[in-house]
Structure formats: structure tokens, C-alpha cells
Amino acid sequence: MQHIKDKIIQSPALHPIRFILYQLGEDGKCYPNCFGSISLTEVEQRYSQAKLELYGLY
């Protein structure tokens, strides 16, 4: 079984995944996007879906 795993890992068809997302700026250059997250309090967790989405834009 290890022989099969090694062959799969060494396959030339596999490439590492790069999770960097870019956005094209007005100057024509690519800029990386930044994403983050926050923890919600118990009260904030009970917000309506629309309010949560607006809160996410903040």
C-alpha cells in the first residue's frame, strides 16, 4: 500500500494548491485579497441573516 501512496505523491500531474486570490487594481497591477474572521457574541449570533451579512461587510 505504501508503494501506491508514494507513486501517487510523485505523480507529475499533481501540483500544490495556491490559495492566494488576486484582484486587478485600477493601475493594472494584481493585488492580493485579504480575508479575516471574527467571533460573534451570543447576542450577535442571534442576528437575522441579512444583518449578519451586513455585519460581515464591516
Side-chain angles (χ1 to χ4, degrees):
M1 185 68 171
Q2 187 61 41
H3 175 72
I4 295 172
K5 289 180 186 179
D6 292 339
K7 288 295 183 182
I8 291 172
I9 291 171
Q10 296 169 1
S11 171
L14 296 178
H15 297 279
I17 297 174
R18 296 188 181 111
F19 289 105
I20 299 174
L21 300 175
Y22 292 97
Q23 180 175 353
L24 187 61
E26 292 180 7
D27 57 0
K29 294 181 181 178
C30 289
Y31 295 94
N33 290 337
C34 179
F35 297 94
S37 65
I38 59 169
S39 299
L40 301 176
T41 65
E42 288 186 31
V43 173
E44 292 168 340
Q45 291 175 6
R46 291 191 296 262
Y47 285 174
S48 68
Q49 183 63 37
K51 197 168 188 177
L52 285 172
E53 290 181 16
L54 289 173
Y55 192 72
L57 291 175
Y58 171 70

